[in-house]
Amino acid sequence: MGFERHGGVKKSRLWMLAGLLAIGAAITLLAAGGLSENMVFFLTPTELEAKGTEVYGAPLRLGGQVKPASVQWDADTRDLRFVITDGDVEVNVRSTGAPPQMFGDGIGVVVEGTYGEDRVFHSTNVMVKHSNEYRPPDENHDPHETYKSLIEDGA
Amino acid sequence: MLSTLGYASVIAALLGAAIMTLVGFRAGLSRSGNAVGVALARRASYFAFFGMTAGMAVMEVALLTHDFSVEYVSRVGSLETPTYYTAISLWSSLDGSILFWGWILAGYAALFAFTRRREWSSFAGTPVTDRGLAPTLRMTPLITAVIGVVGLFFFGLLAGPANPFGLVSPAPANGPGPNPLLQNHPLMGLHPPMLYFGFVGMTVPFAFAIAGLLVGNLEARWLRDARRWTIAAWAFLSMGIVGGGWWSYDVLGWGGAWAWDPVENASFLPWLTATAFLHSAMVQERRGMLKTWNLTLMIGTFLLTMLGTLLTRSGIIDSVHAFTEGVIGPLFLAFIGVVAVASLVLISWRADRLHAPGQIESPVSRESAFILNNLLFVGFTFTVLLGTMFPLVIEAIRGQRISVGAPYFDMVASPIGLALLFLMGVGPILPWRRATGEKLKRSFRWPIASGIVVTATALALGMRQLYPLLTLGLAGFVLTTIVEEFVTGVRARRRISGRSVPGALLDLFVRNGRRYGGYVVHTGIVVVALAISVSWTWKSEREETLRAGERMAIEDYEIEFVELWGRDEPQRFVVGATFNAYRDGHPIGQQSPRMNIYSGGQQPIATPAVRSSLTSDLYLTLMAFDNEGGRHATVRAIVNPAIAWLWIGGMIVGIGALIAIWPRRSGRVRTAGDDLLASTASAVSTEASQRADGAAEAEREGELAVVGSGGGDPPTGERLAP
């Protein structure tokens, strides 16, 4: 009986080991596959231009600044168009939805979406760059005052 | 003035940590014992805590009195910020949070010293055996010393590169105030401290592990203590994570609680390994196996808390290049590297004592379930770590910036999470060593039936997605096993004591809080899993521009735009939109999502209006408003079913953890004498404790009659005779 039991232990350890290996392999495969599928390249407008047709249709993140006075937004259709620039190259961006928390001209944004033959970046998600560090307000632009006047003028 | 006082306090704490380290190591590493040194190391712990408390108090005074000559205050304070947010701006920036961190660390050191004070006071009169001082006694000064090393690092940062007490001359008249995002919600006063208490708390089990390796005492005895410290830290971490989700939900305006953001992942990684340890430690306690593994988890968890701090505090996430510009990041990285290498060296040096005597006997046993659980938790850690670090590695190597999207994390987390949910039901029911078919059938009958019923009901109600269906079914399965455990326990207790059902239930918590508190934690986790699954599956979202009087319907809710308004507050200007909200046609009050425009901030911060109920939340975010006349507003409405259960589940987890670590009179109150007795005359006490364990096990099974006749396991490490 002693022998049998010992043999049983050995066998079950083998099973255990095989099972653990299989699960480890499954997790590794899952991670590797998931990673290659969900890797999103982060490009600047210049890099986007340099890549050419190579990036057409691939999920991308494009980062840059909103070109001053380029934002066009229709409140009713919520059709949003603006231009992202890095100083050298400009990219037209189209999106549906309100600009997040009403971003202003010249603010840093990251847009997620695809770029295609129409040379327009179709964005599904517009993110304003959050900074943990404080930046002093622009001399000419005190948002506090700007918004205050907007509402009061309206009322 | 305050600046000097604060800096002096930090130096005092640094001195305390230096004494803890030097004296602690000397006393712990000498075989003959050094009672004077041990007492000194203990006092040094108190002294370091005193220093850090003074430092933090000085910083609070500086913040609250707006002393802008103190560098940190000039960076995060402002005259306009409300007092509450001024007080908590202690942790709104790097140096302040390291100060807070250091204070918590010193607090843990002092608490540890305090809990061991009796052991130390009897130290002087302790007889020394011919083998030298009992290893358990040498653990205490060594644990203090290891905490001291970590203290040296943090207090050193405060004294040098992250000094919050620098002097600004001339002092500015006012400051910018904290980051707008961090002064937008009262939870900022609760969520970061919870996380820090959790993160820093992992230092204590780490110190246990290193001390155990140094002494060569790798028995399960101290593991129980280490596990209790881990549960405390783990509970803080859990509630910190849930609190963070709640904050993000209430502040960020996208209607979700978790985005797999690197900062969130940083808090989740040590949680995963700590959870793994809480389970694997039981295998070592019970069967003497997994020694190396447990040490690795304790050390790994600590390293992950350090990595988390590095990720969240060094700017490395924004860009690898931001990291190299600061001093803090490289210092953290160096510290992590040194600790990792030193730990590896220690483990290999002690390899001969790490041999595990126990064996897995059957794949269908509690220990197998625990090992599987650990594999999954570590796999989970690995995949989250991979997704978080991959972009950094790629950027460092190839200069190419990439990001790994949330879908990756969802994709890997879902199956692993479901497998863990399944094990949560199976593990506690399986007996140690091996299960018999008959017993299995009996214990799993009801859980499986209820799992099937729940899944079938969901199917009948039209649910078709695989993962949510599995989650519901498994939740039914797990909850039934937990109910079964409680029913069996209450029955057994009633048979012994004849108490009423509530009395017997209370008895379970008082007498075996570790086990039944654990079940409460499991219940909380199931609730969280259900909330995640339900709210993600049935979330609906709609965004529209409305004019006064216009309505928008979403699910069973309807909103009507009333007006746009503006309000001046000292530190900000608020634009709000008022909506009348209806549910099933009945008015449920007015909702006012707002935008807060801070003078210092560049863009407005939205504050969503959330109307919460147990069934679903109506979540409104003001996306845009008419700049010229205030006639229309663009609003995003989200209906989030069952999301309130996410927070409720988090609280249940906290309560369960509290039950599990609540000090018990009946629990073993250990003194130095007991330990010495135990280590010299181990045979008797081992048997006694095995009997006690056996009794607990038997009670669970409701088989009290067999206690005396060997219902418990044979002593740990005994091999089966071939």
Side-chain angles (χ1 to χ4, degrees):
Chain A
M1 189 206 158
F3 268 113
E4 259 173 52
R5 209 163 167 196
H6 191 70
V9 167
K10 248 191 177 165
K11 208 168 150 193
S12 63
R13 284 192 73 182
L14 215 63
W15 271 110
M16 194 72 195
L17 203 67
L20 294 182
L21 279 177
I23 291 166
I27 292 177
T28 312
L29 277 177
L30 192 68
L35 206 58
S36 57
E37 257 177 60
N38 293 294
M39 219 167 67
V40 181
F41 282 95
F42 185 102
L43 301 174
T44 63
T46 306
E47 285 165 347
L48 182 73
E49 200 187 47
K51 293 253 178 194
T53 55
E54 190 188 321
V55 293
Y56 284 7
L60 292 176
R61 279 188 178 194
L62 178 70
Q65 262 143 14
V66 176
K67 187 187 174 192
S70 72
V71 181
Q72 291 172 5
W73 187 60
D74 184 326
D76 291 311
T77 58
R78 293 181 301 112
D79 182 45
L80 175 67
R81 293 156 193 251
F82 58 95
V83 175
I84 288 187
T85 174
D86 57 3
D88 298 324
V89 177
E90 295 180 352
V91 179
N92 290 311
V93 180
R94 261 192 92 163
S95 172
T96 305
Q101 296 160 16
M102 309 191 60
F103 59 76
D105 291 337
I107 200 164
V109 287
V110 177
V111 289
E112 224 167 20
T114 50
Y115 187 67
E117 279 171 29
D118 57 359
R119 314 280 280 161
V120 173
F121 194 92
H122 294 272
S123 156
T124 51
N125 192 12
V126 183
M127 294 165 285
V128 174
K129 268 193 187 165
H130 282 296
S131 165
N132 271 334
E133 290 304 318
Y134 166 80
R135 268 184 247 121
D138 193 336
E139 286 287 318
N140 308 315
H141 174 74
D142 183 353
H144 190 290
E145 290 305 316
T146 316
Y147 285 96
K148 205 162 142 182
S149 66
L150 289 177
I151 288 290
E152 278 164 2
D153 291 349
Chain B
M1 163 57 192
L2 282 178
S3 161
T4 318
L5 205 59
Y7 195 72
S9 311
V10 169
I11 296 298
L14 193 60
L15 186 69
I19 299 173
M20 282 164 73
T21 307
L22 292 175
V23 180
F25 274 132
R26 254 202 83 169
L29 292 176
S30 82
R31 286 183 158 268
S32 57
N34 177 353
V36 180
V38 168
L40 184 61
R42 178 189 57 200
R43 297 209 178 95
S45 305
Y46 295 153
F47 184 68
F49 181 52
F50 166 76
M52 286 312 293
T53 308
M56 211 177 72
V58 168
M59 182 53 83
E60 278 299 335
V61 170
L63 282 167
L64 291 169
T65 58
H66 301 291
D67 185 343
F68 295 112
S69 69
V70 176
E71 202 260 350
Y72 186 72
V73 180
S74 75
R75 229 157 0 100
V76 303
S78 89
L79 295 171
E80 291 80 20
T81 309
T83 310
Y84 175 70
Y85 292 104
T86 301
I88 66 171
S89 58
L90 176 66
W91 48 80
S92 70
S93 194
L94 175 72
D95 331 354
S97 45
I98 292 183
L99 182 68
F100 187 53
W101 180 295
W103 176 71
I104 299 172
L105 183 67
Y108 274 116
L111 185 64
F112 173 77
F114 186 74
T115 57
R116 297 286 175 106
R117 71 197 178 285
R118 261 186 240 119
E119 180 189 81
W120 287 10
S121 65
S122 63
F123 195 85
T126 304
V128 177
T129 66
D130 52 343
R131 289 201 351 251
L133 200 62
T136 35
L137 283 179
R138 290 167 54 197
M139 289 284 288
T140 306
L142 284 177
I143 291 167
T144 303
V146 177
I147 301 177
V149 171
V150 182
L152 278 177
F153 176 69
F154 276 97
F155 307 155
L157 285 181
L158 287 170
N163 174 20
F165 292 107
L167 201 60
V168 182
S169 180
N174 200 350
N179 179 345
L181 267 180
L182 306 184
Q183 49 170 314
N184 217 23
H185 197 283
L187 262 178
M188 273 324 280
L190 210 59
H191 149 63
M194 287 277 177
L195 271 187
Y196 287 178
F197 273 102
F199 262 48
V200 185
M202 297 303 175
T203 310
V204 183
F206 161 73
F208 269 87
I210 298 294
L213 280 168
L214 284 172
V215 173
N217 167 24
L218 298 163
E219 289 148 30
R221 270 192 145 295
W222 56 262
L223 204 68
R224 263 182 114 86
D225 273 351
R227 188 172 177 274
R228 273 187 77 188
W229 285 97
T230 310
I231 296 178
W234 179 91
F236 280 123
L237 192 53
S238 308
M239 288 192 290
I241 291 171
V242 173
W246 200 350
W247 172 83
S248 145
Y249 180 69
D250 268 8
V251 169
L252 296 184
W254 61 280
W258 190 263
W260 297 107
D261 185 82
V263 179
E264 293 166 344
N265 296 348
S267 65
F268 191 47
L269 288 167
W271 186 89
L272 287 171
T273 49
T275 313
F277 169 71
L278 291 179
H279 293 95
S280 66
M282 286 189 276
V283 179
Q284 189 181 337
E285 278 176 23
R286 194 68 188 214
R287 301 288 320 275
M289 299 184 290
L290 305 182
K291 284 180 183 172
T292 315
W293 180 247
N294 282 326
L295 291 167
T296 311
L297 284 178
M298 282 186 270
I299 295 165
T301 303
F302 173 72
L303 289 175
L304 285 173
T305 64
M306 290 290 129
L307 182 74
T309 315
L310 171 71
L311 286 178
T312 49
R313 286 299 174 190
S314 68
I316 194 173
I317 286 163
D318 293 329
S319 163
V320 171
H321 309 298
F323 162 75
T324 47
E325 281 163 21
V327 188
I328 306 281
L331 280 175
F332 259 92
L333 203 59
F335 184 68
I336 292 173
V338 169
V339 171
V341 170
S343 307
L344 274 177
V345 169
L346 273 177
I347 289 180
S348 44
W349 175 52
R350 288 296 191 194
D352 57 321
R353 306 199 191 193
L354 286 167
H355 175 68
Q359 280 191 348
I360 294 282
E361 290 170 26
S362 157
V364 188
S365 63
R366 176 131 7 131
E367 50 269 49
S368 307
F370 276 143
I371 287 172
L372 203 55
N373 144 310
N374 263 253
L375 180 69
L376 288 169
F377 269 115
V378 171
F380 207 158
T381 312
F382 160 73
T383 51
V384 174
L385 191 64
L386 182 70
T388 311
M389 299 303 288
F390 194 65
L392 298 178
V393 174
I394 291 293
E395 192 194 345
I397 295 175
R398 290 174 43 192
Q400 171 71 61
R401 298 192 60 185
I402 64 158
S403 70
V404 175
Y408 161 76
F409 293 100
D410 290 339
M411 193 172 142
V412 296
S414 307
I416 299 179
L418 284 169
L420 284 169
L421 198 58
F422 170 69
L423 282 180
M424 193 196 268
V426 172
I429 296 186
L430 287 177
W432 292 97
R433 291 181 176 269
R434 54 172 63 241
T436 62
E438 191 46 44
K439 225 183 217 171
L440 282 182
K441 236 188 247 171
R442 215 174 52 206
S443 347
F444 283 108
R445 200 167 41 198
W446 287 109
I448 290 177
S450 100
I452 292 173
V453 168
V454 172
T455 315
T457 315
L459 267 171
L461 288 174
M463 196 167 176
R464 288 295 177 269
Q465 300 95 320
L466 178 66
Y467 283 156
L469 270 176
L470 282 172
T471 312
L472 283 180
L474 286 172
F477 171 74
V478 177
L479 288 178
T480 312
T481 64
I482 295 173
V483 169
E484 264 188 356
E485 288 290 291
F486 273 103
V487 168
T488 321
V490 165
R491 270 198 197 137
R493 285 245 49 94
R494 268 166 67 85
R495 223 178 304 151
I496 305 167
S497 62
R499 298 184 69 170
S500 63
V501 173
L505 195 62
L506 190 71
D507 240 22
L508 286 185
F509 286 135
V510 172
R511 284 168 173 270
N512 200 352
R514 211 177 98 141
R515 173 192 288 272
Y516 291 95
Y519 290 147
V520 174
V521 170
H522 281 185
T523 309
I525 300 283
V526 173
V527 170
V528 168
L530 280 174
I532 292 173
S533 163
V534 169
S535 66
W536 282 10
T537 314
W538 284 295
K539 179 179 178 174
S540 53
E541 192 173 324
R542 204 171 160 186
E543 193 179 300
E544 257 179 52
T545 301
L546 298 178
R547 293 185 163 69
E550 280 184 341
R551 287 179 168 225
M552 173 169 91
I554 177 166
E555 299 290 315
D556 48 346
Y557 292 94
E558 201 173 14
I559 55 168
E560 178 189 29
F561 179 45
V562 181
E563 60 169 352
L564 209 59
W565 48 267
R567 185 173 69 212
D568 216 352
E569 290 179 6
Q571 82 281 24
R572 62 188 183 188
F573 183 70
V574 180
V575 176
T578 304
F579 296 87
N580 285 327
Y582 305 89
R583 188 175 190 183
D584 297 319
H586 304 292
I588 51 170
Q590 288 196 324
Q591 298 295 311
S592 300
R594 290 166 303 171
M595 271 191 206
N596 302 318
I597 298 118
Y598 290 86
S599 312
Q602 286 201 318
Q603 83 266 3
I605 308 288
T607 300
V610 187
R611 191 180 185 282
S612 202
S613 76
L614 291 181
T615 45
S616 65
D617 282 15
L618 174 66
Y619 186 102
L620 302 178
T621 315
L622 181 58
M623 301 301 290
F625 54 83
D626 179 16
N627 284 352
E628 293 129 25
R631 281 178 302 268
H632 55 79
T634 306
V635 64
R636 177 194 286 167
I638 298 171
V639 172
N640 260 328
I643 200 157
W645 291 94
L646 208 51
W647 333 130
I648 297 172
M651 282 174 217
I652 298 175
V653 168
I655 293 168
L658 198 64
I659 295 173
I661 57 167
W662 196 262
R664 262 171 292 280
R665 240 179 327 133
S666 59
R668 266 175 271 173
V669 179
R670 261 193 264 152
T671 62
D674 282 354
D675 270 5
L676 199 67
L677 187 75
S679 61
T680 45
S682 62
V684 179
S685 72
T686 308
E687 196 187 329
S689 79
Q690 289 300 336
R691 287 236 175 134
D693 281 357
E697 185 75 2
E699 184 180 306
R700 191 182 72 82
E701 306 280 356
E703 295 164 348
L704 282 161
V706 293
V707 170
S709 58
D713 288 63
T716 311
E718 189 198 70
R719 281 169 203 260
L720 289 163

